[in-house]
Amino acid sequence: MLLVVWVRGRVPHFPGEAAGARTPPREVAALPGVGAVLSVTLLLLPGHQVYRCTGPFARHTGFGSTELVLMVFGVSTPAGVWPAGSLADRWLRRTLLTALAVIALAVPVPGSSVGGPAVLLGAVTLWGAAFGGAPTPIQTALVDASGPEHPDVATSLQTTVCNAGIAAGSFAGGLVLEGLGAAFPPWTSLPLVAAAPAVVALGRGRAFPGGGPLEASHRGAGSGGIVAAV
């Protein structure tokens, strides 16, 4: 409540856009590359949500300290932000492909008892760091693809897709966990997180060029077929 009062009293008022000047979200979503970036988010978020099953994962691998697993994941996630942020402008596609590949490799480990607790903690560390690094290049690619006129609408679409992915992944993961057991949610999500880097690789022409905004002017060069569409 205090924050609301402060905002009303201190933040200056600016008139909104006229209704006729607004670009409908569906038109922004149809811009070349935007749909591909949003689809990566829609694949990654539901697959990533299996981390909510950390307790059952830990018990399944014979490691009883759920708190330690969660702490390792929590500490690792912000550790991936700085490297991804420093690399995204120069090597956007490579940075994102690396992060998504690490996630795809780490996600199935909690579904297996191979290697025991040490392997579980190692996989969780890599998973957390890679997931922490993924949003920066994804957001960079989205703003780049939407152009200077539509980043606000594009990022609002991204927020909607993120929330939908979180809800869908949590719901599906709970059903699989309850119906099949702790070993199955990672394998259920693996096709989703494995498909995300494939979309990035195919989208090198429009959505995910070799670099970030520094190479935006060259995004469309040499693209054709399905690559040009994404």
Side-chain angles (χ1 to χ4, degrees):
M1 179 61 70
L2 292 175
L3 180 59
V4 172
V5 173
W6 182 87
V7 169
R8 288 186 61 86
R10 301 291 298 176
V11 176
H13 174 73
F14 291 98
E17 288 182 311
R22 299 171 188 164
T23 303
R26 64 179 179 275
E27 293 186 13
V28 177
L31 291 173
V34 171
V37 179
L38 295 178
S39 68
V40 169
T41 301
L42 194 57
L43 290 167
L44 176 61
L45 264 296
H48 166 72
Q49 285 305 105
V50 298
Y51 89 93
R52 293 180 178 272
C53 304
T54 300
F57 291 162
R59 290 191 294 272
H60 177 71
T61 58
F63 190 75
S65 180
T66 302
E67 296 81 1
L68 178 58
V69 177
L70 286 172
M71 184 189 72
V72 169
F73 188 92
V75 171
S76 302
T77 301
V81 175
W82 183 85
S86 63
L87 296 173
D89 275 343
R90 297 187 62 187
W91 297 291
L92 186 150
R93 187 165 57 88
R94 294 180 186 178
T95 301
L96 183 55
L97 280 173
T98 300
L100 295 177
V102 171
I103 294 171
L105 290 173
V107 162
V109 172
S112 171
S113 58
V114 177
V119 173
L120 172 65
L121 291 177
V124 168
T125 300
L126 292 174
W127 183 355
F131 184 76
T136 299
I138 291 176
Q139 195 81 350
T140 301
L142 180 65
V143 173
D144 186 18
S146 65
E149 300 87 1
H150 310 297
D152 51 347
V153 178
T155 51
S156 68
L157 290 171
Q158 176 84 332
T159 300
T160 302
V161 170
C162 282
N163 288 327
I166 291 171
S170 299
F171 180 71
L175 291 179
V176 174
L177 180 64
E178 183 177 355
L180 299 175
F184 287 90
W187 301 108
T188 304
S189 69
L190 181 59
L192 297 175
V193 296
V199 174
V200 175
L202 289 174
R204 64 185 301 167
R206 294 284 186 173
F208 303 100
L214 296 178
E215 298 184 12
S217 60
H218 305 291
R219 287 190 303 165
S223 60
I226 188 172
V227 176
V230 295

